[in-house]
C-alpha cells in the first residue's frame, strides 16, 4: 500500500510557523525543517558528536542548496541529502518527508 509506511509527525502549519522542530519517533530523534515551503527531515543528532541539529542555523550553500549548521561545532549539512558540505560525504541520515492534508509525514524505512 502506498500510504502504509508514512507516519504523521507534525502539523504542517506549526512547522512552517516555527521553521524547525524536533520530534521523537520510535526512539529516533528527528529534526524537521521548513524552508521556502519545502519540508526536510534529518537525523536530529549530529553525526559529529550528537549536537541538536534542529537548533541549527539554516542558510544556503554555495551550490544553492539549503543547509543547516550544527550549533555545537559548525558542521554543515545539506537538508535534502545529509551531505556534509566540507567533505561532501552523506554523513547525516535523511528521511523521506511529505506534506499531506496539512500534516507532515515521514518514513523511517526510506
Ligand atoms: S556535534 Fe555537530 S558539529 Fe559537532
Amino acid at each position: 500500500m502506498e500510504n502504509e509506511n508514512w507516519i504523521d509527525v507534525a502539523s504542517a502549519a506549526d512547522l512552517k510557523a516555527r521553521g524547525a522542530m524536533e520530534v521523537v519517533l520510535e526512539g529516533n530523534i528527528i529534526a524537521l525543517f521548513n524552508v521556502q515551503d519545502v519540508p526536510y527531515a534529518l537525523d536530529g543528532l549530529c553525526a559529529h558528536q550528537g549536537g541538536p541539529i534542529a537548533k541549527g542555523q539554516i542558510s544556503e550553500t554555495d551550490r544553492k542548496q539549503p543547509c543547516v549548521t550544527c550549533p555545537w561545532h559548525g558542521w554543515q549539512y545539506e537538508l535534502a541529502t545529509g551531505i556534509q558540505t566540507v567533505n561532501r560525504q552523506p554523513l547525516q541520515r535523511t528521511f523521506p518527508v511529505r506534506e499531506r492534508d496539512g500534516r507532515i509525514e515521514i518514513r523511517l524505512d526510506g
Side-chain angles (χ1 to χ4, degrees):
M1 298 289 170
E2 179 207 330
N3 287 325
E4 67 184 0
N5 293 325
W6 290 96
I7 305 169
D8 181 330
V9 290
S11 151
D14 193 20
L15 179 59
K16 283 176 189 172
R18 294 164 61 178
M21 60 197 295
E22 194 175 86
V23 297
V24 179
L25 184 61
E26 297 178 16
N28 301 283
I29 298 173
I30 313 277
L32 301 175
F33 298 96
N34 177 80
V35 179
Q36 296 177 340
D37 281 343
V38 177
Y40 299 93
L42 293 86
D43 188 334
L45 300 180
C46 179
H48 179 219
Q49 289 182 359
I53 287 296
K55 292 187 164 52
Q57 190 75 34
I58 298 296
S59 58
E60 195 175 69
T61 67
D62 43 13
R63 295 171 183 237
K64 303 291 180 209
Q65 296 297 312
C67 62
V68 59
T69 301
C70 177
W72 281 7
H73 316 98
W75 285 27
Q76 197 175 56
Y77 305 98
E78 291 181 1
L79 293 179
T81 63
I83 286 175
Q84 205 262 14
T85 60
V86 173
N87 65 18
R88 303 294 308 157
Q89 297 300 307
L91 298 183
Q92 196 70 11
R93 184 179 176 192
T94 60
F95 301 92
V97 58
R98 69 181 184 185
E99 180 180 339
R100 198 169 174 93
D101 298 330
R103 303 295 301 176
I104 298 298
E105 299 177 334
I106 72 168
R107 293 176 59 152
L108 292 178
D109 60 351

